[in-house]
């Protein structure tokens, strides 16, 4: 349910929210304009925010044995950074590109938890379901098998990319 | 079985029960299929531990508003005792058990305590007392159900009579069409009601159109109210005896479901709180018969449930943020299990696994992913959590989990998880959701780590 002023791109996060909760989440997010193929999240580095793509394209890549391997791209409505936001662990891939992002960092999430706890609960629930779905898709690909390298890349792309 | 003891003069209303000249208005809604599946799972797969899986047929839900001027028992012992009227407002979900289609009714409001008690005791109808306002048959207007609920949980929250459901005329919305009714019912594997309404006829025994209703009937345990002393999955047959008339409801309607913490209908079905459109609506006046129920599954005697103590949970890293009081709430919904080495908790690929999430209180558990390969296996230790993926998406188990040593675990099944998520303690709900989210994120990170290792090995 999208309230007024809440972009459709937030749908994946707002599906358990009332319009008021969705508006509270939107208000907690900062808007970030990114230009010139800027790196937003760096593989192996700390990251304390979740990003939602509003506009533009962001490529996902990681270095494996010193070689850069590409794992698809994030487009409108896709998320990244949620793992680090949840566990405080370093990012698992580079994300770079140009466009407009919504950014929810740990402090903003804590503040949302205080001002609208039901919105925070609904957000974490949506993130949880999203993660579970991606782990499942990865499992399905692994079961399907295939040539090892292509298989691993495909699974990685499912996990880290927009799933496209 | 021993004899059911009736107090002197008590009306038993044994089936078959004839419902005469019932005026029913039926509003068809499109809900969220996933939520419907989760609801069915809680009631059926959960209760029977997977023995009786029930699935929604689609995303449809019927809101049924029935005014029954005369209900009478046709049973030889009760037929001469008298009759009663009843208003009966309920939500019907078309479901499948194997290839059979039935209606699961998770909510039902009635206007009399006798109907409430007899219906609950006899069939397990989940009846609640309601107060009803509705336009007279044939007229448009607002339908309203009021019931005793709590809006927001809180120590100071007083339960009060408030509106829990409204069906309002909605000018802007599309009118119901004949083909809408036909398509929603045929999609659910049901007969097109307008077709049999058009036939306006009386059926004889044997060829009556029949539909079966499905219920969970249960009684709390008196010593441990968190447990059921008795549970049964019951089917109640409804046979149409005669159709007196009916047709489309031409006014467009929408449904409003004010948010009430103790009655989260919209959330459970995935309906909009404020103005959920009615896809199709019809009305019918008919006689129907509810026959003796059939037991599809019945619980047997089981050992007393053992719960972990708050002290046992305190040592678990995942619950570090829980206060003592919050751990006590959590412990109430968890169950303790003690197992020998070699005990298999869940098997990869296992469907309808109900146990949910496990927390290792003592010992070690091997988590093996046969399908992914040994590279993705690990051993979980004391304080770790496993089993969250299936808890979240109700899917098949992602790994086989076996006790590597003597192991003590605390489990939180899906019903417990749901109860805490919707419970009065918001902090517990929030922290628990975080525990699950963090564990999934860790699983996810471990998976990407394994994939990286695997990828570098493949060079």
């Amino acid at each position: 349910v999208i309230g007024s002023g809440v972009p459709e791109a937030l749908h994946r996060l707002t599906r358990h929210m009332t319009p008021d909760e969705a508006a509270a989440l939107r208000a907690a997010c900062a808007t970030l304009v990114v230009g010139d193929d800027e790196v937003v999240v760096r593989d192996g580095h700390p990251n304390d925010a979740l990003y939602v793509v509003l506009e533009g394209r962001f490529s996902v890549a990681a270095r494996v044995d010193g070689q850069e391997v590409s794992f698809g791209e994030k487009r409108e409505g896709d998320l990244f950074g949620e793992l680090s936001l949840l566990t405080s662990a370093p990012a698992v891939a580079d994300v770079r590109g140009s466009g407009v992002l919504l950014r929810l960092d740990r402090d903003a999430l804590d503040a949302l938890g205080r001002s609208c706890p039901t919105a925070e609960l609904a957000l974490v629930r949506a993130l949880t379901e999203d993660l579970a779905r991606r782990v499942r898709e990865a499992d399905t690909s692994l079961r399907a098998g295939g040539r090892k390298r292509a298989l691993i890349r495909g699974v990685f792309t499912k996990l880290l990319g927009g799933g496209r | 079985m021993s004899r059911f003891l009736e107090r002197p003069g008590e009306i038993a209303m044994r089936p078959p029960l004839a419902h005469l000249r019932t005026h029913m208005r039926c509003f068809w809604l499109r809900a969220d299929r996933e939520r419907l599946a989760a609801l069915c799972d809680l009631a059926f797969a959960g209760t029977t531990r997977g023995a009786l899986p029930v699935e929604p047929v689609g995303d449809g839900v019927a809101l049924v508003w029935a005014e029954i001027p005369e209900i009478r028992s046709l049973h030889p012992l009760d037929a001469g005792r008298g009759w009663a009227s009843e208003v009966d407002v309920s939500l019907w979900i078309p479901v499948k058990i194997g290839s059979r289609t039935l209606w699961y009714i998770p909510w039902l409001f009635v206007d009399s305590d006798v109907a409430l008690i007899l219906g609950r005791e006899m069939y397990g109808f989940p009846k609640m007392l309601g107060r009803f306002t509705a336009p007279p048959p044939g007229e448009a207007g607002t339908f309203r159900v009021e019931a005793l609920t709590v809006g927001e949980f809180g120590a100071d929250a007083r339960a009060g009579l408030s509106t829990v459901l409204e069906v309002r005329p909605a000018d802007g919305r599309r009118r119901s069409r004949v083909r809408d009714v036909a398509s929603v019912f045929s999609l659910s594997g049901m007969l097109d009601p307008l077709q049999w309404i058009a036939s306006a006829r009386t059926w004889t025994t044997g060829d009556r159109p029949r539909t079966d209703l499905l219920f969970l009937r249960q009684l709390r345990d008196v010593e441990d109210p968190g447990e059921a002393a008795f549970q049964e999955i019951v089917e109640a047959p409804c046979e149409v005896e005669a159709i007196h008339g009916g047709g489309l409801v031409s006014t467009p309607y929408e449904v409003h479901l004010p948010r009430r913490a103790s009655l989260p209908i919209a959330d459970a079905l995935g309906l909009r709180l404020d103005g959920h459109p009615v896809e199709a609506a019809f009305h019918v006046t008919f006689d129907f018969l509810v026959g003796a129920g059939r037991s599809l599954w019945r619980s047997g005697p089981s050992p007393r449930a053992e719960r972990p103590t708050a002290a046992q949970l305190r040592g678990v890293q995942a619950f570090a943020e829980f206060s003592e009081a919050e751990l006590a709430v959590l412990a109430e919904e968890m169950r303790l299990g003690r197992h020998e080495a070699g005990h298999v908790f869940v098997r990869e690929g296992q469907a309808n696994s109900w146990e949910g999430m496990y927390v290792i209180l003592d010992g070690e558990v091997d988590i093996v992913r046969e399908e992914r390969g040994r590279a993705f296996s690990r051993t979980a230790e004391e304080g770790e959590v496993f089993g969250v993926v299936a808890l979240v998406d109700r899917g098949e188990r992602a790994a086989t989990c076996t006790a590597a040593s003597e192991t003590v675990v605390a489990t939180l099944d899906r019903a417990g998880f749901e109860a805490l998520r919707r419970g009065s303690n918001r902090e517990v709900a929030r922290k628990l959701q975080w525990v699950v989210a963090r564990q999934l994120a860790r699983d996810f990170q471990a998976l990407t780590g394994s994939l990286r290792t695997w990828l570098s090995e493949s060079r």
Side-chain angles (χ1 to χ4, degrees):
Chain A
V1 180
I2 304 290
S4 58
V6 179
E8 190 65 37
L10 267 181
H11 178 72
R12 263 162 85 174
L13 298 181
T14 57
R15 65 176 176 273
H16 299 300
M17 295 184 190
T18 62
D20 287 350
E21 290 162 356
L25 171 65
R26 172 63 190 91
C29 293
T31 308
L32 199 67
V33 180
V34 179
D36 276 350
D37 205 27
E38 193 179 317
V39 177
V40 184
V41 168
R42 195 176 289 281
D43 188 10
H45 286 242
N47 163 45
D48 76 336
L50 154 77
Y51 297 89
V52 181
V53 181
L54 283 187
E55 276 177 48
R57 291 178 177 207
F58 292 82
S59 64
V60 182
R63 294 188 82 74
V64 180
D65 276 1
Q67 274 198 5
E68 177 141 316
V69 186
S70 163
F71 297 117
E73 61 179 20
K74 303 277 186 184
R75 298 182 210 173
E76 188 187 326
D78 289 337
L79 319 173
F80 58 93
E82 69 276 30
L83 291 177
S84 310
L85 184 71
L86 290 171
T87 64
S88 308
V92 293
D94 284 336
V95 182
R96 66 198 305 162
S98 313
V100 184
L101 298 168
L102 284 181
R103 180 179 198 274
L104 181 74
D105 65 21
R106 192 172 300 276
D107 289 343
L109 179 61
D110 289 345
L112 179 68
R114 286 189 297 274
S115 65
C116 187
T118 53
E120 187 213 3
L121 180 62
L123 170 70
V124 179
R125 184 177 165 199
L127 285 176
T128 307
E129 289 169 359
D130 206 56
L131 285 176
R133 183 179 56 77
R134 285 151 69 195
V135 169
R136 287 288 186 198
E137 285 175 1
D139 268 348
T140 307
S141 303
L142 278 170
R143 272 185 203 158
R147 277 181 40 245
K148 189 173 171 187
R149 277 190 61 78
L151 173 65
I152 299 172
R153 278 191 63 164
V155 173
F156 243 124
T157 305
K158 281 232 159 58
L159 282 172
L160 301 179
R164 304 167 204 250
Chain B
M1 280 195 266
S2 60
R3 192 181 171 80
F4 190 94
L5 184 74
E6 276 148 33
R7 287 167 296 173
E10 189 170 6
I11 296 174
M13 292 286 272
R14 295 165 183 84
L17 299 166
H19 299 66
L20 306 177
R21 299 179 310 284
T22 296
H23 181 67
M24 178 174 117
R25 282 170 278 198
C26 174
F27 304 92
W28 190 270
L29 312 170
R30 288 187 67 185
D32 179 324
R33 193 179 196 287
E34 273 301 299
R35 305 274 180 106
L36 300 184
L39 199 65
C40 292
D41 247 21
L42 273 176
F44 303 105
T47 308
T48 66
R49 289 291 188 257
L52 193 80
V54 172
E55 276 197 44
V57 173
D59 61 2
V61 174
L63 169 61
V64 175
W65 192 286
E67 286 151 337
I68 313 163
E70 185 176 334
I71 304 180
R72 50 170 67 247
S73 168
L74 303 183
H75 190 277
L77 289 178
D78 290 325
R81 292 209 191 189
W83 55 275
S85 309
E86 183 176 325
V87 178
D88 189 307
V89 178
S90 48
L91 288 150
W92 298 35
I93 304 172
V95 295
K96 266 198 183 329
I97 299 179
S99 61
R100 289 188 60 208
T101 308
L102 303 92
W103 297 94
Y104 167 42
I105 302 186
W107 283 283
L108 205 169
F109 300 92
V110 290
D111 61 345
S112 94
D113 58 346
V114 174
L116 182 139
I117 294 162
L118 293 178
R120 276 192 173 246
E121 287 185 351
M122 185 79 72
Y123 297 99
F125 294 161
K127 286 180 169 176
M128 287 182 70
L129 266 189
R131 213 159 70 176
F132 307 104
T133 317
E139 288 180 27
T142 296
F143 297 72
R144 182 178 304 117
V145 179
E146 292 165 285
L148 195 66
T149 55
V150 171
E152 290 276 339
F153 288 133
D156 299 324
R158 181 180 175 178
L161 196 65
S162 69
T163 300
V164 294
L165 184 160
E166 263 187 1
V167 187
R168 294 187 204 151
D171 290 339
R173 301 220 182 259
R174 197 164 53 72
R175 285 166 189 282
S176 200
R177 293 167 304 184
V178 173
R179 66 166 185 269
D180 296 331
V181 175
S183 73
V184 294
F185 277 81
S186 69
L187 279 178
S188 304
M190 305 284 178
L191 293 171
D192 176 0
L194 292 177
Q195 265 182 28
W196 45 266
I197 288 169
S199 72
R201 55 174 280 205
T202 303
W203 284 269
T204 53
T205 321
D207 67 348
R208 292 173 182 151
R210 180 180 139 169
T211 190
D212 296 307
L213 313 183
L214 190 65
F215 300 94
L216 165 65
R217 180 171 177 240
Q218 57 179 353
L219 275 178
R220 283 188 194 278
D221 186 271
V222 71
E223 291 175 10
D224 183 347
E227 296 286 298
F230 171 80
Q231 286 181 314
E232 186 173 32
I233 309 295
V234 172
E235 165 188 324
C238 285
E239 288 182 359
V240 178
E241 292 187 282
I243 301 266
H244 306 300
L248 270 186
V249 168
S250 56
T251 310
Y253 278 97
E254 61 185 25
V255 175
H256 294 255
L257 294 155
R259 186 178 260 199
R260 307 295 295 165
S262 64
L263 201 66
I265 298 177
D267 183 52
L269 301 179
L271 300 174
R272 290 174 56 177
L273 294 162
D274 209 29
H276 195 97
V278 169
E279 302 286 323
F282 69 92
H283 66 100
V284 58
T285 305
F286 68 134
D287 300 339
F288 70 98
L289 206 61
V290 178
R294 192 161 79 93
S295 173
L296 299 182
W297 176 91
R298 198 177 275 183
S299 61
S302 57
R304 288 237 156 260
E306 197 183 345
R307 294 178 177 77
T309 62
Q312 281 173 302
L313 297 180
R314 196 184 310 125
V316 175
Q317 178 58 32
F319 302 141
E321 288 179 17
F322 284 67
S323 72
E324 205 63 13
E326 288 159 5
L327 286 177
V329 172
L330 184 61
E332 219 26 72
E333 293 291 355
M334 296 190 96
R335 297 291 181 269
L336 197 70
R338 302 169 198 279
H339 304 282
E340 300 288 317
H343 172 80
V344 178
F345 294 99
V346 295
R347 247 174 236 292
E348 185 170 341
Q350 181 186 342
N352 298 310
S353 161
W354 188 255
E355 295 305 330
M357 172 177 117
Y358 295 77
V359 180
I360 306 172
L361 299 180
D362 192 23
E364 292 182 341
V365 174
D366 288 328
I367 299 178
V368 176
R369 299 177 186 272
E370 292 294 342
E371 293 276 0
R372 282 185 188 171
R374 298 297 299 193
F376 300 95
S377 300
R378 68 184 179 107
T379 298
E381 294 170 355
E382 191 181 314
E384 283 196 63
V385 175
F386 64 93
V388 292
V389 180
L391 177 73
V392 172
D393 72 1
R394 306 179 301 104
E396 292 177 357
R397 286 294 178 180
T400 298
C401 304
T402 312
S405 60
E406 247 182 71
T407 304
V408 181
V409 294
T411 58
L412 181 66
D413 68 14
R414 285 190 221 144
F417 183 62
E418 280 295 304
L420 290 171
R421 207 164 55 68
R422 293 183 201 282
S424 61
N425 195 317
R426 284 227 195 98
E427 273 303 286
V428 171
R430 193 181 73 81
K431 288 174 183 174
L432 185 64
Q433 189 69 57
W434 270 98
V435 167
V436 174
R438 280 201 195 99
Q439 184 58 45
L440 256 176
R442 277 193 212 103
D443 286 354
F444 196 103
Q445 282 157 339
L447 180 54
T448 58
S450 305
L451 283 169
R452 265 184 200 231
T453 311
W454 213 29
L455 189 57
S456 60
E457 281 169 1
S458 74
R459 276 170 193 283

